[in-house]
Amino acid sequence: MHEYKKEETKVLERIICNGCGKIIAVKHGMPMEGVLQVRQVWGYMSGKDGQVDSFELCEECYDRMTEQFRIPPATTEAVELV
Ligand SMILES: [Zn+2]
């Protein structure tokens, strides 16, 4: 006799851009488009001590956001693409 325990596994199905609501498909755990994923743990010196914020942005929203920077983001070439 076999007894099975019920296990639930979480599978990432899609990512929704926080900026515009665009749905980014995910296959085998990999987003099918460029996506910025941010997770910020706010520390003691901030006004949000202990707060963890996270959001995702599609590439278009990322471009729109960084275009507003006074100083553009540093850009280098990745040695190994994962
Ligand atoms: Zn977007």
Side-chain angles (χ1 to χ4, degrees):
M1 175 183 157
H2 290 183
E3 275 190 320
Y4 294 95
K5 112 177 140 176
K6 206 174 171 185
E7 242 178 73
E8 234 178 75
T9 49
K10 276 184 163 182
V11 178
L12 182 63
E13 207 173 26
R14 59 190 191 161
I15 294 168
I16 301 167
C17 172
N18 285 73
C20 68
K22 178 183 176 180
I23 292 167
I24 296 155
V26 174
K27 278 184 188 162
H28 310 296
M30 286 275 290
M32 293 290 100
E33 292 175 47
V35 58
L36 170 75
Q37 302 186 62
V38 174
R39 184 177 183 272
Q40 170 68 14
V41 181
W42 293 98
Y44 180 70
M45 296 309 283
S46 74
K48 305 175 185 60
D49 184 25
Q51 185 175 316
V52 182
D53 291 346
S54 61
F55 63 88
E56 277 82 29
L57 288 180
C58 72
E59 198 169 351
E60 290 79 26
C61 287
Y62 170 84
D63 289 342
R64 212 168 27 245
M65 180 180 75
T66 54
E67 275 164 16
Q68 293 169 15
F69 288 1
R70 191 166 292 184
I71 299 163
T75 302
T76 54
E77 204 164 302
V79 175
E80 194 178 299
L81 287 173
V82 183

